């Protein structure tokens, strides 16, 4: 969430990566509806129900080893580096 960026993180993005700020979304649902490729870099509680939020149009790149079976996805899946 953009409003959670503080201090040096916020200053760095505003100074060096201004486009990133415009790409940040308020919610996971908003991000998923606007995206086709989902890159998972960390296992965190919100991804537990991710398969039910994804459709056939989504392509998932898993860099951390998700805790659910890729068979639950309608779209494409690839697991890399774990």
């Amino acid at each position: 969430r953009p409003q959670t960026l503080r201090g040096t993180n916020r200053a760095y993005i505003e100074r060096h990566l201004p486009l990133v700020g415009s790409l940040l979304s308020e919610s996971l649902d908003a991000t998923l509806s606007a995206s086709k490729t989902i890159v998972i870099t960390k296992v965190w509680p919100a991804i537990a129900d991710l398969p039910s939020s994804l459709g056939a149009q989504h392509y998932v790149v898993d860099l951390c080893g998700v805790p659910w079976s890729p068979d639950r996805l309608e779209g494409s899946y690839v697991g890399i580096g774990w």
Side-chain angles (χ1 to χ4, degrees):
R1 290 181 247 167
Q3 71 275 15
T4 62
L5 291 174
R6 300 278 187 254
T8 56
N9 289 335
R10 183 181 201 106
Y12 183 87
I13 287 176
E14 289 173 348
R15 195 173 318 117
H16 300 286
L17 305 168
L19 180 61
V20 170
S22 68
L23 297 175
L24 294 175
S25 176
E26 294 294 327
S27 72
L28 181 58
D29 289 333
T31 300
L32 295 176
S33 67
S35 303
K36 290 185 180 179
T37 301
I38 311 302
V39 180
I40 303 173
T41 60
K42 181 180 178 182
V43 176
W44 56 294
I47 69 162
D49 296 325
L50 191 61
S52 63
S53 300
L54 299 175
Q57 74 277 15
H58 290 107
Y59 186 84
V60 176
V61 179
D62 176 9
L63 301 179
C64 60
V66 294
W68 33 264
S69 171
D71 296 337
R72 292 179 53 197
L73 297 174
E74 292 181 37
S76 298
Y77 171 91
V78 63
I80 302 172
W82 46 267

